[in-house]
Amino acid sequence: MTKMNSERNLYFDTATLYYRAFFAVPESIVAPDGTPSGAVRGFLDMVSSIIKQFPAKEVVFAWDDDWRPQWRVDLVPSYKLHRVDEEVADQPDATFEVIPDALSPQIGAISLILDSIGLPRLGQQGHEADDVLGALVAKSAGGCDVVTGDRDLFQLVSDRESIRVISITKGVKNLELVDDAYLTNRYGITGAQYADFSMLRGDPSDGLPGVKGIGEKTAAKLINEHVDINGLIAAARDDATALAPAVRRNLLESQNYMKAAGKVVRLKTTARLPKSLSLPKVVKDPESLALLASAWGVEKHVARLLKTLDINSVT
C-alpha cells in the first residue's frame, strides 16, 4: 500500500468534481434502489485517481456553503445571476442555484461519505469554495496543488510559492498542470496578474461583463503595461496617456465596474480553518460509511479511495 508521504497539499474544489462526474457518468448507473448514483461513483473514482497521481500530506475538500455571497452580489448584481432559479431570480437576495434533480441527493451522499471517512470538508457562510481554497493556500507552509475546473483559481498559481492548479477541464485522464509558465504561454500573464486580467476580459460563467472592447490579448497587454487595475485607471485618467482613444474611453466608462469587479474576482482568504487538517489513520465512522456505501452501491469505490489514502476501514 502506498504511503501518503508527500510534502505537498492537495485541495479539491469539490463542486467541480461532482458536477463533472454527474454529466460524465451514464444515467444507467444507479444505486440498488434505482436512484441515480453516477455522480457519487464518478466523484470517488476521480478523487482516487488524482490522489494516486499527486500524493499529499493534506487532502481537503472545499465546499460551497455560500455559492453566491451577498457581498459579491452587492458589488456586481449580475454576479452568477444566470445560475439562479428563475422563480427567485428577480429577488435582490436570490440564492437558490439550479441543480439537476438527480444530482441534489448525490451531493448529500458525497458530503456524508467524506464526513464518515473523516476527510476535511470545509465551507463557510460568506465564502465560496474558491475562497476556502484561497484561505487554505494562504495558510499552507508547503507546496499546494488545487484541483478544479474553474479558471478563477488560476490567480492562486505561484511558482515562487510552489502553488499549482490541477485543471480537470479536459477530464481527469487529461489533467493539465497549471503553473506560471503555463499561464504565460497561454495568456501572457502570471498567476499574480490573473484576477485583474479576468476582470478586464470578463467571465460569462460568473456573470462578469468585462470592459467593452477588451479581449484576452488586450487585457494581458494592458495589465503588463500598467501593473494592475489602479495603474490602468490612472493611465486612463491621464490626458497625456498613450492608450488608444477607444480603449481609454471604455476604461473611463467602466471605472466603477472595474473597482467593484476587482473585489469580486479576488479570493477572500478569511475563512476559518481547523488547526489540524491531517489525514485520518482510520475511518471516523465505519458503520455509517458501510451503510452509505451499500445504499449507493459504491463499496468498491469507497474501498479504493481508502486504500489510496492509506486509511484503515476498521480500528
Side-chain angles (χ1 to χ4, degrees), residues 91-102:
Q91 300 176 20
D93 59 347
T95 58
F96 298 100
E97 183 178 20
V98 177
I99 299 175
D101 291 341

Side-chain angles (χ1 to χ4, degrees), residues 1-9 51-59 279 308-310:
M1 187 178 294
T2 302
K3 297 294 182 180
M4 305 297 289
N5 57 4
S6 172
E7 291 305 309
R8 298 186 67 81
N9 300 317
I51 292 174
K52 188 173 182 179
Q53 294 180 66
F54 300 93
K57 63 177 180 178
E58 288 183 0
V59 176
L279 284 165
T308 303
L309 287 167
D310 192 22

Side-chain angles (χ1 to χ4, degrees), residues 1 15 38 60 77 138 179 181 187 221 229 247 267 276 305:
M1 187 178 294
V60 182
D179 54 14
Y187 299 113
K221 180 176 182 291
I229 293 303
V247 171
L267 302 180
S276 175
L305 177 58

Side-chain angles (χ1 to χ4, degrees), residues 46-55 172-173 175 308:
M46 285 193 292
V47 170
S48 294
S49 176
I50 293 169
I51 292 174
K52 188 173 182 179
Q53 294 180 66
F54 300 93
V172 173
K173 293 183 178 180
L175 298 175
T308 303

Side-chain angles (χ1 to χ4, degrees), residues 1-310:
M1 187 178 294
T2 302
K3 297 294 182 180
M4 305 297 289
N5 57 4
S6 172
E7 291 305 309
R8 298 186 67 81
N9 300 317
L10 189 60
Y11 302 140
F12 286 92
D13 176 10
T14 318
T16 290
L17 272 74
Y18 60 63
Y19 267 104
R20 178 165 290 277
F22 177 74
F23 289 108
V25 179
E27 295 183 5
S28 58
I29 301 300
V30 296
D33 66 356
T35 302
S37 62
V40 180
R41 181 181 298 189
F43 175 86
L44 294 170
D45 286 347
M46 285 193 292
V47 170
S48 294
S49 176
I50 293 169
I51 292 174
K52 188 173 182 179
Q53 294 180 66
F54 300 93
K57 63 177 180 178
E58 288 183 0
V59 176
V60 182
F61 296 85
W63 205 262
D64 268 325
D65 278 6
D66 195 347
W67 72 280
R68 188 175 182 248
Q70 187 59 44
W71 66 269
R72 282 193 166 103
V73 177
D74 291 341
L75 288 166
V76 179
S78 63
Y79 183 65
K80 292 187 177 180
L81 183 60
H82 62 294
R83 303 189 202 177
V84 176
D85 190 318
E86 291 182 0
E87 294 183 3
V88 297
D90 60 345
Q91 300 176 20
D93 59 347
T95 58
F96 298 100
E97 183 178 20
V98 177
I99 299 175
D101 291 341
L103 175 59
S104 187
Q106 296 187 74
I107 295 174
I110 288 167
S111 69
L112 291 173
I113 288 171
L114 294 176
D115 293 348
S116 295
I117 294 173
L119 294 172
R121 183 177 65 86
L122 305 180
Q124 187 177 323
Q125 283 298 311
H127 299 73
E128 298 178 45
D130 288 6
D131 298 314
V132 174
L133 290 164
L136 285 164
V137 168
K139 71 88 192 170
S140 177
C144 303
D145 292 323
V146 178
V147 183
T148 185
D150 187 348
R151 293 184 300 177
D152 289 345
L153 289 165
F154 287 174
Q155 65 185 279
L156 293 175
V157 168
S158 170
D159 286 356
R160 184 171 62 86
E161 301 294 335
S162 191
I163 301 167
R164 309 178 301 192
V165 162
I166 300 172
S167 175
I168 62 170
T169 302
K170 297 181 180 180
V172 173
K173 293 183 178 180
N174 297 291
L175 298 175
E176 291 184 292
L177 200 56
V178 180
D179 54 14
D180 276 327
Y182 174 100
L183 293 176
T184 300
N185 181 62
R186 180 168 179 178
Y187 299 113
I189 47 91
T190 65
Q193 298 171 304
Y194 191 85
D196 285 341
F197 164 80
S198 177
M199 179 276 302
L200 282 174
R201 176 198 60 194
D203 189 346
S205 68
D206 281 340
L208 297 174
V211 176
K212 180 181 177 181
I214 295 181
E216 286 189 354
K217 291 184 178 179
T218 302
K221 180 176 182 291
L222 291 173
I223 292 301
N224 281 314
E225 290 177 349
H226 301 283
V227 182
D228 56 23
I229 293 303
N230 290 332
L232 188 54
I233 291 175
R237 289 174 175 174
D238 185 353
D239 290 335
T241 185
L243 292 169
V247 171
R248 183 191 185 196
R249 180 177 64 253
N250 290 335
L251 289 172
L252 289 173
E253 291 176 352
S254 300
Q255 289 181 76
N256 291 336
Y257 160 76
M258 288 192 290
K259 290 178 180 179
K263 296 177 182 178
V264 168
V265 170
R266 286 183 180 81
L267 302 180
K268 186 177 183 180
T269 61
T270 57
R272 295 185 301 273
L273 303 174
K275 290 183 179 180
S276 175
L277 293 169
S278 300
L279 284 165
K281 297 183 183 301
V282 298
V283 169
K284 179 181 178 181
D285 189 341
E287 183 176 352
S288 293
L289 181 61
L291 290 172
L292 285 163
S294 176
W296 288 91
V298 292
E299 296 96 326
K300 293 181 180 178
H301 309 274
V302 168
R304 183 181 301 122
L305 177 58
L306 295 180
K307 181 178 181 180
T308 303
L309 287 167
D310 192 22

